[in-house]
Structure formats: C-alpha cells, structure tokens
C-alpha cells in the first residue's frame, strides 16, 4: 500500500500479517526433514541444505513460503520465516533478520559521465515512520550503501552486460526506534569525485560525518542503494502485531 503521509491513515492494507522479530542464534544447523513444529524449534536458525526448494507451512494469515537451496529460515515459536544477516557483518554477530521487512527504496546508478572528476552527488530525504495498532515497539535501520558494478568476463568477447554488484560497507546505517507516534529522521549522503579518489559524508540530521574508505566506490561505475532492513520487535512480546508505515520524501 503506497502512502503519501502517515500522520492520519483512514484505510489499512488487508490482510494484516503481523510483525516478525529478529532471531539470535550462534549456531546455524542444516534443516532436518521433516521439520518439527515451529514451537519445538523456537529461536533456531536453519539452512536449507536439501538441494531443493523447501516449503514452510502457512500460519495465521502468513502464506506458505518457499525456501531456496542454501537460504536460511528461522522460527519465533509461532511460524517459520526466511531470515538473512547483514551484508557486511561484524565478526561473531549472531543476529538474523526477517526478510519480509527488507525494503529497497531507491537504487541509483552513476557512470563516469554522470559523476566526472570534480563533481558531486547528494541524496537526502526525510524518513517518517510510525507503528499502527501495534502491540510492540520495533527497531528498523535506514541503510545507504555503494555497490561496485561487475561484468561478465567470459566467454570473450562479450558485449555490454551487468553481472552483479559488490556491495561495500554502508555509507550510512541509522537505527530508528518505531512507536505509535510518528517520528522523522533527516538522513542522506554526499559523494565527491576528487583528484585523490572518491570521498563521501553521511548526513545525520543537522550534522555531516566523513565516511571511511571501506564504504567508498573503488571505481567510477557504481550504484547507490537506499534501503530499510534489520527489523526487530521487543523480546518480551511473544505475538507481535500491528502495521509499520514509512514515507521517504524530500526534506521539508
């Protein structure tokens, strides 16, 4: 459901699927088939090592979902759902986040002609968040990251193509705590193409902070992705419910 504002919402999307928590598991095991119940596997993260698609059962209004080979899923005691870790994670991190709450808002690709030497690119938005009819508070992250374009090199010769992106550490990763009251966050980045290579600053509210070299483009053909991820609810709420609304708009 597309929203232009979240101060007042007269119609809610249906059906309501509820909210999903992150799962924290230090040991990820290969799934044993047939699966036990979600209740018996509470708090466990599993990998589909079967080599085939695995279907996890429906629960409530959540439909049955397919888990591809080598993908991960978890149980919060109510249902099974697909999870993923941060793309660039600290050593020893054990947190797995619900994939259903990963959102790519914008992907912007820049080429050498679009960002020539001496030029800059700026992206900033006002991000508004609010929980509605909720039984829990939640946390979400606004993430802005650079992806270096890669191309297929074989067979050769080969024409223009896009193999994939190699995503760097985030230029910006800002956690946002969500409640039933709307909150606004002014966030963004600026990237410069200088004689010494690329430089960037993250824009956090009314401040600018320099970004480290691990986050910067390594070449002049790259993408900037703005997304939401790393969603989690309160551990003390065993059946988190509600809606989460967000709007990204030009700063006011």
């Amino acid at each position: 459901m597309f929203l232009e504002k979240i101060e007042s919402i007269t119609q809610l999307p249906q059906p309501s699927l509820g909210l999903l928590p992150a799962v924290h598991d230090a040991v990820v095991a290969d799934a044993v088939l047939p699966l036990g119940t979600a209740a018996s596997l509470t708090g466990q993260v599993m990998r589909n090592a079967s080599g085939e698609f695995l279907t996890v059962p429906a629960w409530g209004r959540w439909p049955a979902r397919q888990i591809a080979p080598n993908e991960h899923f978890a149980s919060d005691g109510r249902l099974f759902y697909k999870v993923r870790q941060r793309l660039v994670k600290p050593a020893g991190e054990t947190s797995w986040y619900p994939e259903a709450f990963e959102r790519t808002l914008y992907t912007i690709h820049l080429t050498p002609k679009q960002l020539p030497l001496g030029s800059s690119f700026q992206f900033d938005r006002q991000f508004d968040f609010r929980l509605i009819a909720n039984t829990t508070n939640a946390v979400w992250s606004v993430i802005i990251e650079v992806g270096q374009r890669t191309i297929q090199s074989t067979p050769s010769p080969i024409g223009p193509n896009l193999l994939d992106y190699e995503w760097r550490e985030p230029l910006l990763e800002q956690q946002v705590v969500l409640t039933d009251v709307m909150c606004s966050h002014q966030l963004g980045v600026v990237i410069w193409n200088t004689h010494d290579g690329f430089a960037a600053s993250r824009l956090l509210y009314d401040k600018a902070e320099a970004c480290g070299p691990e986050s910067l483009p390594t070449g002049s053909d790259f993408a900037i992705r703005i997304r939401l991820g790393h969603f989690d609810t309160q551990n003390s709420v065993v059946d988190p419910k509600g809606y989460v609304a967000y709007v990204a708009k030009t700063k006011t």
Side-chain angles (χ1 to χ4, degrees):
M1 180 179 182
F2 179 78
L3 300 175
E4 293 185 351
K5 60 180 181 178
I6 59 176
E7 293 88 347
S8 60
I9 300 175
T10 58
Q11 182 181 359
L12 292 172
Q14 294 293 335
S16 171
L17 299 180
L19 304 175
L20 298 174
V23 175
H24 312 283
D25 189 359
V27 179
V28 176
D30 290 342
V32 177
L33 302 178
L35 285 174
T37 64
S40 68
L41 295 169
T42 301
Q44 295 189 33
V45 175
M46 292 153 282
R47 182 177 74 96
N48 177 13
S50 68
E52 301 178 354
F53 278 87
L54 168 65
T55 300
V56 295
W59 180 86
R61 295 192 176 188
W62 286 95
R65 300 292 177 95
Q66 285 200 319
I67 310 297
N70 294 316
E71 288 186 333
H72 295 81
F73 63 103
S75 166
D76 70 345
R78 303 173 300 164
L79 72 157
F80 296 107
Y81 49 94
K82 192 181 299 186
V83 293
R84 64 171 65 167
Q85 286 192 301
R86 289 197 276 181
L87 289 180
V88 182
K89 57 183 183 296
E93 182 177 76
T94 62
S95 298
W96 294 80
Y97 300 95
E99 190 176 89
F101 288 88
E102 299 283 328
R103 296 284 188 278
T104 296
L105 306 184
Y106 310 93
T107 302
I108 305 162
H109 193 100
L110 297 175
T111 67
K113 291 184 178 180
Q114 292 172 297
L115 194 64
L117 186 66
S119 65
S120 65
F121 171 83
Q122 179 168 334
F123 176 92
D124 54 75
R125 288 292 186 273
Q126 175 177 309
F127 295 86
D128 295 343
F129 297 92
R130 179 189 172 193
L131 291 172
I132 305 166
N134 53 305
T135 61
T136 178
N137 294 327
V139 64
W140 222 354
S141 290
V142 178
I143 304 154
I144 304 179
E145 57 204 343
V146 162
Q148 202 64 52
R149 178 186 175 185
T150 60
I151 62 173
Q152 184 176 330
S153 58
T154 57
S156 181
I158 195 166
N161 69 88
L162 174 60
L163 177 63
D164 210 339
Y165 289 100
E166 295 178 350
W167 297 103
R168 309 276 287 162
E169 289 195 23
L171 295 164
L172 177 149
E173 183 175 338
Q174 178 63 40
Q175 289 189 21
V176 177
V177 177
L178 283 64
T179 71
D180 58 334
V181 176
M182 190 194 79
C183 58
S184 296
H185 300 264
Q186 310 274 356
L187 304 169
V189 295
V190 184
I191 298 178
W192 295 272
N193 187 356
T194 77
H195 287 282
D196 296 323
F198 287 98
S201 290
R202 61 180 67 91
L203 307 177
L204 296 163
Y205 311 102
D206 60 347
K207 297 181 180 179
E209 298 178 355
C211 299
E214 69 281 353
S215 303
L216 301 177
T218 57
S220 56
D221 199 350
F222 63 92
I224 299 173
R225 182 169 65 178
I226 300 91
R227 62 187 180 94
L228 305 176
H230 315 160
F231 187 86
D232 193 17
T233 60
Q234 290 176 237
N235 287 7
S236 59
V237 180
V238 297
D239 188 16
K241 295 179 180 178
Y243 296 87
V244 57
Y246 63 90
V247 176
K249 57 188 179 183
T250 303
K251 292 198 303 182
T252 57

